[in-house]
């Protein structure tokens, strides 16, 4: 009986991926990152609150995902590709934690992202490592 259990356990272990590359099946090879080139805090006339905004980028299945952390009201977001074509243009949106922008396909690196609001002005570049 013990030999049957051991044989079944060995068979189960043999179907697990041997290397990490097999475990990440479906993930793209490129690893984008964002570089903030300019960030200015504005002093809004109406709101004394301090706003914090952070971004993370991922490339999943040929789609660029820009994920926001923080809150920023009344923001204008513009993303342009390497040919200066506008791929995302949003006006007067409230950025909240977890908000995600999707760009498909993600083959026009570097992208430039500009976020302009009454509280912050951020310019960043998304590059492929």
């Amino acid at each position: 009986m013990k030999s049957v259990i051991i044989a079944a356990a060995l068979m189960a272990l043999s179907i697990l991926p041997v290397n990490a590359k097999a475990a990440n099946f479906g993930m793209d090879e490129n690893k984008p990152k964002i570089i903030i080139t300019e960030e200015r805090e504005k002093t809004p006339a109406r709101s004394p609150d301090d706003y914090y905004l952070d971004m993370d980028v991922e490339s999943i299945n040929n789609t660029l995902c820009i994920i926001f952390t923080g809150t920023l009201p009344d923001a204008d977001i513009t993303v342009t590709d390497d040919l200066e074509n506008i791929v995302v243009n949003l006006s007067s949106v409230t950025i909240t934690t977890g908000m995600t922008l999707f760009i498909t396909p993600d083959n026009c690196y570097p992208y430039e992202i500009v976020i302009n609001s009454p509280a912050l002005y951020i310019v960043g570049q998304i590059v492929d490592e």
Side-chain angles (χ1 to χ4, degrees), residues 38-125:
E38 181 179 355
E39 185 171 356
R40 280 186 283 145
E41 193 170 321
K42 299 179 182 179
T43 53
R46 299 179 305 178
S47 176
D49 293 338
D50 291 331
Y51 292 103
Y52 171 76
L53 187 65
D54 193 21
M55 294 171 273
D56 189 26
V57 293
E58 294 180 8
S59 180
I60 301 172
N61 294 331
N62 202 26
T63 300
L64 181 67
C65 304
I66 304 170
I67 306 151
F68 293 98
T69 304
T71 303
L72 187 63
D74 299 325
D76 297 331
I77 304 170
T78 306
V79 180
T80 56
D81 61 10
D82 65 339
L83 302 173
E84 297 185 8
N85 297 324
I86 296 175
V87 292
V88 174
N89 189 15
L90 300 173
S91 297
S92 298
V93 296
T94 299
I95 299 173
T96 57
T97 298
M99 179 180 165
T100 306
L101 300 178
F102 299 99
I103 300 169
T104 304
D106 65 345
N107 56 0
C108 295
Y109 289 98
Y111 290 95
E112 181 180 62
I113 183 167
V114 177
I115 300 171
N116 191 11
S117 78
L120 289 173
Y121 178 76
I122 299 171
V123 177
Q125 191 173 33

